[in-house]
């Protein structure tokens, strides 16, 4: 069993849901990324999703776009990402998921990239621009290295297709909660509520369903948990908080925000 | 029209559909509708009507006698896409797709644009067919091509300046895709080149194939034979694939010309097929200009329309199978070609098209007088005269 699967088992046994926190590598710099990771862990996050910046993040809204640009302008390279990864893996057993775009893996070669990522402690990968039709080589390399392939579904994904994607996905299934890019805020729409319920029903307990995009507060978390989500993913809200926090306060402020979010998964 | 359907959306290994899941139903709906309407008699009739009466097809194939004489070699013919409504080949595609959008009952069309030519052609086609349109354009390009922004506004299209990334065409595409993800249920994305996820490269090629079909017919009438060589410029590659595709199975030499900018050995060019490597961007696997880490590079060309770090996947396939030769022309060569054509024939070419002219000049002198070259003159150069003026001023200064 993978670290991610173990984590969901542990959470189910405690009768809670998983909190997944997203951070961007190198935003606003390497040192603060590490402080932020420490903050999330102290606050009780269950899984950490670490973004690696891509020059053309077409599924991301302004907050993550800006974080990507800042990170790349500061010279973030894979070396740095792997260095942070190694350090974090040394300190904790928490599941670590990499979120980036297909070209970062493709240009290095799926096999080469994934075996290196595994050796440094990556447990799962999310590629928002990887459709299942194009994924056979990627999946093969991931399975070989025992890395979970976390695929996304959307409110407009058909029942038949959700089944297909759920089969290709391991670790958990990522439900994009709304039509739009990451970090959008607003009232939870009816179609979102339907999507969570439908996806849960179609998947029928075969894989956990994590809900992300536009989840930014403890009340959002509570709402999605009550609708049946097995996990909630919060990203842009953490980055906004980092943007408005002095370097030496990042760890403590993120820890206290994480605690509130985590508390909301225990209803 | 004969269409070779790409297998699983791929040309050899190139192409595919690397898109966020939210867009999968949209591109499936698009493919289904396109395949249905492309063979629909009344759709074809309607499109033909607009191409003829609104856009001005067929365009002439003009024997450039003065230019031919000056160079002294093969006969040079120009396929005059510059004479189309809007001043470029872009209208062939925008009329086709806007009509499709209308048949699909989409109320809103979005598009990206680099220099503004595709944006203007989208605004025209949508205005003509009564659909609302909005255009994403890199902030830098809105400054460089102010006049086109105004034209789009006049035509009733809303222009969104894009301030993310390099603020040019690739970022305009990113932003258009983000809009599409957000408004997927109501909106039609009218892509301007033979790039993006399947079915766009196939569909845009088919709408542009009218260029090559007319060339074949006109050469038979004028010269009683097929051309020996056809030449077209390549950015995303829509006018080039439209020129080449109908002649792929004929015994015709084909040359695509990319922008070499300040030179292929510098960082200032857009010659994706000449020096790029394989990667995934904007929904397709194709040759890209990228660094060792897989980050997309910023590009340069004196012509904004070729300023793109990727290329249509079918061109990548035609390069690897060696059916088409891909060469390049530097900014300097392009300006020389621009001036030579303007002065010898009284035709001001777009700087994009001047890349193809530059290649024709290079090879015509090495060929015999009995051979014929057809160059696709994809657009007219009125939009570029300011850029050329600036370039000439600078060069006078430099040579002092």
């Amino acid at each position: 069993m993978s670290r991610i699967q173990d984590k969901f088992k542990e959470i189910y046994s405690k009768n809670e849901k998983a909190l997944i926190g997203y951070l961007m590598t190198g935003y606003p710099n390497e040192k603060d990324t590490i402080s932020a990771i420490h903050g999330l862990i102290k606050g009780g996050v269950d899984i950490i999703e670490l973004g690696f910046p891509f020059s053309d993040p077409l599924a991301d809204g302004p907050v993550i776009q800006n974080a990507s640009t800042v990170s790349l302008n500061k010279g973030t390279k894979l070396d740095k990402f792997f260095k942070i990864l190694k350090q974090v893996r040394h300190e904790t057993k928490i599941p670590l998921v990499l979120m980036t775009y297909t070209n970062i893996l493709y240009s290095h070669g799926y096999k080469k990239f994934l075996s290196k990522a595994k050796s440094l402690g990556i447990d799962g990968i999310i590629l928002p621009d990887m459709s299942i039709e194009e994924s056979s080589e990627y999946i093969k390399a991931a399975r070989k290295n025992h890395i979970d392939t976390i695929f996304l579904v959307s409110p407009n994904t058909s029942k038949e297709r959700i089944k297909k994607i759920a089969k290709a996905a391991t670790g958990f299934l990522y439900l994009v909660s709304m039509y739009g890019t990451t970090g959008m805020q607003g009232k939870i729409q009816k179609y979102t509520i339907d999507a969570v319920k439908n996806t849960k029903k179609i998947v029928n307990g075969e894989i956990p369903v994590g809900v992300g995009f536009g989840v930014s507060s403890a009340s959002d978390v509570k709402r999605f948990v009550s609708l049946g989500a097995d996990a909630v993913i919060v990203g842009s809200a953490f980055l906004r908080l980092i943007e408005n926090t002095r370097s030496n306060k990042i760890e403590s402020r993120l820890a206290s925000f994480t605690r509130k979010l985590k508390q909301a998964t225990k209803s | 029209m004969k269409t070779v359907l790409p297998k699983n959306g791929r040309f050899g290994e190139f192409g595919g559909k690397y898109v966020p899941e939210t867009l999968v139903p949209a591109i499936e709906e698009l493919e289904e509708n396109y395949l249905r309407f492309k063979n629909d008699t009344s759709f074809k009739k309607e499109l033909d009507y607009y191409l003829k009466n609104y856009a001005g097809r067929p365009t002439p194939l003009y024997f450039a006698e003065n230019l031919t004489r000056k160079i002294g070699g093969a006969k040079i013919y120009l396929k005059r896409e510059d004479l189309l409504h809007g001043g470029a080949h872009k209208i062939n595609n925008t009329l086709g797709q806007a009509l499709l959008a209308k048949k699909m009952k989409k109320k809103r069309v979005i598009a990206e644009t680099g220099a503004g030519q595709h944006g203007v052609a989208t605004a025209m086609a949508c205005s003509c067919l009564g659909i609302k349109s909005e255009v994403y354009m890199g902030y830098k390009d809105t400054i460089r091509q102010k006049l086109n922004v105004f034209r789009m506004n006049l035509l009733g299209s809303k222009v969104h300046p894009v301030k993310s990334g390099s603020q040019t065409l690739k970022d305009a595409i990113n932003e258009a895709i983000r809009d599409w993800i957000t408004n997927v249920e109501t909106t039609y994305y009218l892509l301007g080149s033979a790039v993006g996820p399947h079915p766009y490269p196939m569909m845009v090629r088919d709408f542009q194939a009218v260029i090559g079909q007319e060339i074949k017919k006109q050469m038979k009438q004028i010269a009683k034979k097929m051309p020996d060589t056809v030449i077209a410029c390549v950015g995303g590659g829509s006018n080039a694939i439209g020129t080449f595709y109908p002649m792929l199975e004929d015994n015709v030499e084909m040359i695509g010309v990319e922008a070499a900018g300040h030179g292929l050995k510098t960082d200032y060019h857009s010659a994706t097929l000449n020096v790029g490597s394989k990667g995934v961007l904007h929904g397709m696997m194709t040759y890209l200009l990228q660094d060792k880490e897989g980050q997309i590079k910023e590009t340069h060309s004196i012509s904004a329309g070729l300023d793109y770090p990727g290329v249509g996947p079918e061109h990548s396939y035609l390069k690897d199978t060696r059916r088409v030769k891909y060469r390049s022309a530097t900014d300097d060569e392009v300006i020389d070609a621009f001036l030579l054509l303007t002065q010898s024939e009284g035709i001001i070419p777009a700087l994009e098209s001047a890349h193809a002219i530059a290649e024709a000049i290079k090879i015509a002198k090495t060929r015999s007088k009995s051979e014929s070259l057809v160059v696709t003159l994809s657009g007219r150069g009125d939009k570029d005269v300011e850029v050329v003026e600036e370039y000439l001023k600078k060069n006078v200064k430099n040579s002092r």
Side-chain angles (χ1 to χ4, degrees):
Chain A
M1 247 207 255
S2 74
R3 264 201 209 100
I4 296 173
Q5 288 166 319
D6 283 342
K7 177 56 86 176
F8 275 102
K9 223 174 138 192
E10 176 198 324
I11 286 164
Y12 289 150
S13 74
K14 287 196 281 189
N15 212 10
E16 0 177 302
K17 298 296 156 74
L19 174 67
I20 302 175
Y22 169 96
L23 297 167
M24 171 60 77
T25 305
Y27 177 76
N29 55 54
E30 187 181 335
K31 192 174 138 264
D32 290 353
T33 305
I34 300 212
S35 306
I37 292 172
H38 289 158
L40 259 57
I41 293 174
K42 268 194 186 151
V45 80
D46 298 299
I47 295 171
I48 290 178
E49 198 184 312
L50 210 45
F52 182 77
F54 177 51
S55 51
D56 294 81
L58 51 77
D60 284 305
V63 174
I64 295 182
Q65 278 177 52
N66 176 55
S68 306
T69 307
V70 168
S71 175
L72 285 172
N73 288 345
K74 291 241 162 101
T76 298
K77 297 259 161 55
L78 273 168
D79 283 4
K80 193 185 275 182
F81 173 74
F82 287 142
K83 196 179 129 204
I84 293 175
L85 198 61
K86 208 170 162 185
Q87 184 184 338
V88 175
R89 187 40 86 220
H90 191 70
E91 296 168 359
T92 170
K93 292 207 154 38
I94 198 164
L96 295 171
V97 170
L98 164 63
M99 179 156 180
T100 188
Y101 285 81
T102 301
N103 196 48
I104 300 295
L105 272 68
Y106 184 91
S107 64
H108 288 81
Y110 294 126
K111 271 192 208 156
K112 203 173 132 202
F113 188 98
L114 290 167
S115 81
K116 171 102 188 192
K118 180 64 185 185
S119 74
L120 294 168
I122 281 288
D123 302 298
I125 307 255
I126 303 173
L127 301 172
D129 61 341
M130 171 64 83
S131 65
I132 49 167
E133 284 81 2
E134 313 298 346
S135 66
S136 65
E137 209 184 311
Y138 156 66
I139 289 181
K140 214 167 115 192
R143 298 280 185 274
K144 202 176 154 209
N145 288 292
H146 305 284
I147 290 182
D148 283 325
T149 50
I150 297 153
F151 280 92
L152 299 92
V153 296
S154 206
N156 59 351
T157 309
S158 68
K159 183 177 169 184
E160 217 170 86
R161 197 171 162 84
I162 291 177
K163 281 185 180 164
K164 249 198 227 165
I165 295 173
K167 241 180 215 160
T170 55
F172 67 92
L173 186 66
Y174 192 134
L175 170 62
V176 174
S177 74
M178 57 164 76
Y179 298 124
T181 49
T182 54
M184 286 177 129
Q185 286 166 303
K187 225 182 110 220
I188 296 172
Q189 304 283 326
K190 180 170 182 301
Y191 76 79
T192 297
I193 296 169
D194 293 343
V196 178
K197 288 183 181 164
N198 281 337
T199 308
K200 276 294 292 177
K201 205 168 121 194
I202 294 163
V203 167
N204 197 20
E206 279 181 17
I207 189 166
V209 174
V211 179
F213 280 48
V215 185
S216 62
S217 65
S219 69
D220 290 344
V221 170
K222 220 177 189 127
R223 189 75 195 278
F224 284 116
V225 165
S226 76
L227 290 169
D230 302 297
V232 284
I233 303 144
V234 177
S236 296
F238 282 122
L239 299 186
R240 275 189 216 111
L241 193 59
I242 290 171
E243 193 181 359
N244 298 314
T245 304
R246 289 220 322 262
S247 194
N248 60 346
K249 297 277 184 212
I250 285 179
E251 186 173 325
S252 59
R253 280 194 74 183
L254 262 67
S256 88
F257 183 50
T258 305
R259 237 171 256 129
K260 276 185 211 147
L261 297 172
K262 181 58 205 172
Q263 191 55 40
T265 70
K266 296 179 183 174
S267 43
Chain B
M1 180 179 61
K2 180 189 68 137
T3 291
V4 176
L5 291 177
K7 206 176 161 205
N8 299 323
R10 287 190 180 251
F11 306 93
E13 65 176 311
F14 299 99
K17 31 186 167 185
Y18 296 85
V19 292
E21 192 56 36
T22 306
L23 294 183
V24 169
I27 58 176
E28 283 177 351
E29 180 197 13
L30 177 61
E31 182 178 4
E32 199 187 299
N33 277 282
Y34 172 63
L35 292 178
R36 180 154 64 95
F37 282 111
K38 77 186 272 289
N39 295 319
D40 180 280
T41 322
S42 79
F43 180 85
K44 282 198 286 193
K45 224 169 131 188
E46 207 175 339
L47 180 56
D48 282 347
Y49 172 84
Y50 284 110
L51 287 174
K52 183 177 169 210
N53 298 295
Y54 183 75
R57 297 217 74 91
T59 59
L61 184 70
Y62 171 70
F63 173 44
E65 202 175 349
N66 300 334
L67 183 66
T68 299
R69 203 179 315 118
K70 222 167 204 167
I71 293 167
K75 289 194 183 73
I76 300 173
Y77 294 86
L78 304 175
K79 180 60 176 163
R80 300 290 309 273
E81 295 298 293
D82 61 316
L83 293 176
L84 286 171
H85 182 45
H89 72 290
K90 295 289 184 189
I91 195 85
N92 301 328
N93 171 46
T94 59
L95 277 175
Q97 285 200 58
L99 196 58
L100 182 62
K102 199 173 171 182
K103 300 284 175 204
M104 289 170 71
K105 305 206 164 35
K106 299 285 180 183
K107 298 269 179 275
R108 177 176 178 258
V109 161
I110 54 169
E112 82 296 337
T113 196
Q117 292 306 102
H118 173 59
V120 168
T122 299
M124 284 170 169
C126 287
S127 170
C128 170
L129 295 170
I131 311 171
K132 213 175 94 187
S133 68
E134 295 177 34
V135 178
Y136 287 90
M137 186 170 184
Y139 178 69
K140 271 188 202 161
D141 291 332
T142 62
I143 307 283
R144 284 196 280 195
Q145 298 284 345
K146 243 189 300 179
L147 206 61
N148 270 341
V149 176
F150 187 56
R151 284 168 88 195
M152 285 182 267
N153 286 332
L154 282 176
L155 289 160
S157 189
K158 192 170 170 198
V159 178
H160 301 279
V162 176
K163 292 196 171 174
S164 59
S166 60
Q167 309 186 340
T168 58
L169 176 60
K170 82 174 172 71
D171 309 286
I173 296 180
N174 292 339
E175 211 52 43
I177 291 176
R178 289 182 190 119
D179 180 315
W180 198 22
I181 294 172
T182 310
N183 302 294
V184 64
E185 304 214 295
T186 56
T187 298
Y188 182 97
Y189 180 23
L190 206 164
L191 234 175
S193 193
V195 300
H198 179 69
Y200 283 105
M202 166 183 77
M203 179 170 69
V204 175
R205 171 198 74 195
D206 290 351
F207 285 135
Q208 293 293 359
V210 64
I211 303 172
Q213 286 155 5
E214 284 179 9
I215 291 174
K216 267 176 104 160
K217 222 164 143 190
Q218 291 165 321
M219 276 303 284
K220 263 180 212 155
Q221 283 164 1
I222 300 170
K224 311 272 179 267
K225 60 168 196 173
M226 291 287 285
D228 295 289
T229 305
V230 290
I231 304 172
C233 64
V234 178
S238 70
N239 89 82
I241 202 69
T243 302
F244 300 158
Y245 184 67
M247 287 179 262
L248 282 176
E249 271 149 42
D250 298 310
N251 185 21
V252 175
E253 178 189 34
M254 296 177 176
I255 303 173
V257 189
E258 296 192 306
H262 296 178
L264 296 183
K265 292 201 171 117
T266 70
D267 272 335
Y268 299 93
H269 63 77
S270 311
T272 311
L273 291 165
N274 278 271
V275 297
S277 55
K278 291 173 197 171
V280 175
L281 179 69
H282 295 150
M284 60 182 166
M285 199 284 273
T286 190
Y287 280 98
L288 300 175
L289 292 172
Q290 56 185 332
D291 68 14
K292 276 185 294 199
E293 299 252 315
Q295 305 291 353
I296 307 305
K297 281 191 185 175
E298 290 192 15
T299 52
H300 164 84
S301 169
I302 192 163
S303 60
L306 302 183
D307 208 345
Y308 180 62
V311 67
E314 196 163 9
H315 285 295
S316 292
Y317 173 69
L318 293 171
K319 170 199 154 77
D320 277 14
T321 54
R322 299 181 187 198
R323 177 62 189 92
V324 178
K325 295 171 191 145
Y326 292 92
R327 298 193 179 137
S328 64
T330 63
D331 289 351
D332 293 347
E333 291 168 333
V334 166
I335 294 288
D336 288 345
F338 174 95
L339 295 174
L340 187 62
L341 184 66
T342 303
Q343 288 154 8
S344 60
E345 297 288 351
I347 296 171
I348 302 176
L351 284 173
E352 289 80 6
S353 322
H355 285 72
I357 302 290
E359 176 67 19
I361 293 168
K362 280 183 219 168
I363 65 169
K365 42 186 143 184
T366 68
R367 305 283 166 96
S368 85
K369 286 182 178 171
S370 63
E371 284 190 37
S372 57
L373 308 181
V374 174
V375 182
T376 298
L377 198 66
S378 55
R380 67 170 186 232
D382 305 49
K383 67 182 175 60
D384 294 320
V385 290
E386 233 180 296
V387 175
V388 173
E389 188 188 19
E390 247 170 63
Y391 178 95
L392 293 176
K393 269 191 209 154
K394 228 191 263 168
N395 269 34
V396 170
K397 260 188 234 154
N398 288 347
S399 58
R400 264 179 203 156

